[in-house]
Structures are given as structure tokens and as C-alpha cells.
């Protein structure tokens, strides 16, 4: 994913069916990593 103008955060990733998922702290589950989800995760952690 692209570098965003946010502080660096440590995310939990999982490779599922050859697709990358990221752990969402709000939903308490892994979700498919899309560009929109990447930005959303940074905003949530910020």
C-alpha cells in the first residue's frame, strides 16, 4: 500500500486465500485490505 501522511502504526495482517486482510480494532475481525480500508485503518488509529 502507499505511504500515507500519518504516523506509523503497527497493524496485524493475515494472508487469506492469497489476499491480504488487516485486523480492524473496531469490528474485532480481519477485513480485506483495500485502498479505502488502508486509509480507514490509519484514520481509526489516529
Amino acid at each position: 500500500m502507499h505511504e500515507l501522511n500519518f504516523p506509523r502504526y503497527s497493524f496485524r495482517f493475515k494472508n487469506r486465500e492469497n489476499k491480504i486482510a488487516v485486523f480492524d480494532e473496531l469490528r474485532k475481525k480481519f477485513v480485506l485490505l483495500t485502498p479505502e480500508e488502508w486509509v480507514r485503518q490509519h484514520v481509526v488509529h489516529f
Side-chain angles (χ1 to χ4, degrees), residues 12-36:
R12 290 174 42 197
F13 296 104
K14 187 182 206 181
N15 191 354
R16 209 168 30 176
E17 300 170 4
N18 293 330
K19 296 182 181 176
I20 300 173
V22 62
F23 187 75
D24 185 351
E25 294 289 334
L26 298 178
R27 294 183 266 183
K28 305 290 187 208
K29 66 179 184 177
F30 283 92
V31 293
L32 185 63
L33 185 61
T34 62
E36 292 84 7

